């Protein structure tokens, strides 16, 4: 092995020889050669061949402040020098961990005053499973163990995270879901709504929760978990009637409501949290990604007083935690990140200016022959490509057209991800109107190129 590889081919060879990538067919990747990203600034990335790319995915839905923010770098440097690590286990803490728990209490909805720290969205959701079961044990409801989630949800890749998720292809590997996790249908009107209006469909599909609770028996159900908008599932925006009905059912049957804010949190939907945007009143909120703008791994479960009081006042020791829970350097970066979001009024700008602008510009694409639906809110959106717009007929198999479009985008300087045939956008929250215009030029061009490829094939 040559330790000083300095050409794309050498890096690709080294990567093929030694690196197993997440969610990747290694054989086909190695045959093609990995794409090496070397530098970032604002909303742009550069690769090892010197190509400039507009990153409309903010890394993996996380680099909310964009690349190259020196204040985040400085926060990490100072904390590393002062105290690079200490744990939060044995009746000790560090200043950044404590200050971050207070800062999170301030920006989350009323009643959220406690944070439990972890390092990823998956770990946060594993924590959630243990926490809700512990809560019901302490309340004397020993059988309230089942957690209800949804098809096509994404809640992580650990045993509990992937089980909570509703991705069949993940369940197929590793005997998942683990016991006590069941799924109902997702609020995906475009695919599943049939002749119903979105509002009718929203009520109907939320009603599946009530049916499932009755089937299991309310005394056996601990919680329901959902993303305000399903991100990895294809930016599935629920009808307006959906969340109020879910909230009503959870309250009626005394079921905890877990709102997974890993993607929607920290400004993505134009408010601090997706729960604000949809006026949801959760009991627990796992969050990660935008918490540090992805500069360092950190996550948290925010716990509502209703649950926290039971855990604190009656719980004794909660036998759960990670070496890096509340890591001081990651916490210092998260604090600086929140401080910048506030000072520069970035969440407000997404809510009132750049978010509506992106959504308006994207809806201009609805006249394009390939575009079945444009959906989204704030700075998260999907453009769903379909075979027939009128009848809402999808391509069969799905995914091939999305991949063609995605490859055109990359070749034309835009990172846009495909989930099936939905093209996904989740750019850094600092994107300007001019940069949205720049993005739209490439999107339009690549949709035309994709349509052209389909016509000639
Ligand atoms: N919850 C949600 C809503 C997520 O989107 C997780 C939990 C898990 O977070 P960690 O940090 O453990 O990855 C996520 C992560 C994709 C993609 O292909 C999305 C995620 C992760 C990897 C790929 O869109 N979301």
């Amino acid at each position: 092995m040559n330790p000083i590889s300095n050409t794309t081919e050498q890096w690709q060879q080294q990567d093929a020889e030694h690196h197993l990538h997440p969610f990747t067919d290694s054989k086909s990747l190695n045959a093609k050669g990995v794409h090496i990203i070397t530098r970032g600034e604002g909303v742009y990335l550069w690769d090892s061949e010197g190509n400039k790319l507009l990153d409309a995915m903010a890394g993996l839905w996380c680099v909310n402040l964009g690349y190259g923010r020196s204040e985040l770098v400085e926060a990490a440097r100072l904390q590393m020098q002062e105290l690079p690590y200490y744990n939060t286990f044995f009746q000790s803490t560090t200043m950044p961990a404590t200050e971050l728990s207070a800062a999170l209490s301030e920006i989350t909805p009323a009643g959220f005053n406690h944070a439990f720290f972890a390092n990823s969205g998956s770990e946060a959701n594993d924590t959630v499973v243990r926490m809700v079961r512990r809560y019901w044990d302490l309340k004397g409801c020993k059988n309230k163990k089942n957690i209800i989630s949804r098809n096509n949800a994404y809640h992580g890749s650990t045993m509990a995270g992937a089980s909570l998720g509703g991705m069949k292809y993940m369940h197929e590997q590793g005997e998942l879901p683990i016991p006590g996790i069941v799924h109902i249908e997702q609020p995906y009107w475009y695919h599943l709504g049939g002749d119903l209006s979105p509002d009718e469909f929203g009520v109907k599909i939320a009603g599946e929760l009530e049916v499932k609770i009755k089937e299991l028996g309310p005394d056996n159900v601990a919680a329901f978990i959902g993303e305000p908008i399903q991100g990895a599932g294809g930016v599935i925006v629920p009808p307006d009637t959906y969340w109020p009905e879910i909230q009503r059912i959870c309250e009626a049957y005394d079921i905890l409501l877990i709102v997974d804010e890993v993607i929607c949190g920290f400004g993505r939907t134009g408010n601090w949290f997706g729960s604000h945007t949809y006026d949801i009143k959760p009991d627990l909120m796992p969050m990660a990604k935008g918490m540090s703008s992805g500069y360092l791994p950190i996550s948290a479960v925010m716990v509502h007083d209703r649950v926290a009081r039971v855990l604190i006042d009656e719980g004794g020791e909660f036998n759960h935690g990670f070496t890096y829970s509340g890591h001081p350097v990651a916490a210092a970066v998260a604090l600086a990140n929140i401080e910048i979001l506030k000072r520069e009024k970035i969440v407000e700008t997404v809510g009132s200016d750049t978010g509506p602008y992106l959504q308006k510009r994207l809806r201009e694409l609805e006249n394009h022959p390939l575009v079945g639906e444009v959906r989204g809110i704030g700075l998260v959106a999907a453009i769903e490509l379909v075979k027939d717009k009128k009848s809402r007929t999808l391509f069969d198999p799905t995914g091939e057209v999305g991949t063609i479009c995605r490859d055109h985008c990359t070749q034309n300087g835009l990172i846009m991800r495909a989930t099936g045939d939905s093209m996904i956008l989740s750019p850094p929250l600092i994107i300007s109107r001019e940069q949205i215009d720049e993005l739209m030029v490439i999107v339009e061009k690549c949709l035309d190129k994709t349509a052209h490829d389909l016509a000639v094939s």
Side-chain angles (χ1 to χ4, degrees), residues 66-125:
Y67 300 94
R69 287 298 302 227
S70 51
E71 281 162 279
L72 299 186
V73 179
E74 193 55 13
R77 192 187 68 78
L78 287 173
Q79 186 58 43
M80 275 206 181
Q81 223 157 38
E82 188 74 18
L83 182 69
Y85 174 76
Y86 198 71
N87 69 66
T88 52
F89 275 49
F90 307 121
Q91 308 207 335
S92 58
T93 190
T94 63
M95 269 152 53
T98 296
E99 285 178 14
L100 180 59
S101 62
L104 290 171
S105 303
E106 201 187 299
I107 57 175
T108 45
F112 280 92
N113 291 304
H114 291 88
F116 189 102
F117 291 116
N119 309 285
S120 66
S122 301
E123 284 181 5
N125 280 325

Side-chain angles (χ1 to χ4, degrees), residues 240-261:
D240 289 344
T241 51
Y242 180 77
W243 277 112
E245 188 61 5
I246 291 285
Q247 182 91 51
R248 183 193 70 73
I249 296 167
C250 287
E251 283 167 15
Y253 293 92
D254 204 12
I255 306 297
L256 293 179
L257 177 53
I258 307 156
V259 175
D260 183 336
E261 294 276 5

Side-chain angles (χ1 to χ4, degrees), residues 324-335:
Y324 301 128
S325 285
H327 191 288
V329 181
V333 170
L335 270 171

Side-chain angles (χ1 to χ4, degrees), residues 35 45 53 110 125 130 171 180 227 241 260 264 306 346 349 402 418 430 442:
H35 190 190
L45 291 167
L53 299 146
N125 280 325
R130 300 204 60 205
H171 293 168
E227 305 151 75
T241 51
D260 183 336
C264 292
R306 280 190 293 276
I346 289 170
T349 303
I430 47 122
I442 308 178

Side-chain angles (χ1 to χ4, degrees), residues 60-61 120-122 125 154-156 227 232 260 262-263 289 417:
L60 205 45
W61 322 78
S120 66
S122 301
N125 280 325
Y154 193 87
H155 297 295
E227 305 151 75
D260 183 336
V262 169
I263 283 180
K289 294 194 188 272
R417 183 170 157 346

Side-chain angles (χ1 to χ4, degrees), residues 145-165:
K145 291 282 189 295
N146 285 291
I147 301 176
I148 302 175
S149 180
R150 306 175 296 178
N151 296 341
N152 196 34
Y154 193 87
H155 297 295
S157 193
T158 49
M159 295 294 280
S163 296
L164 290 171

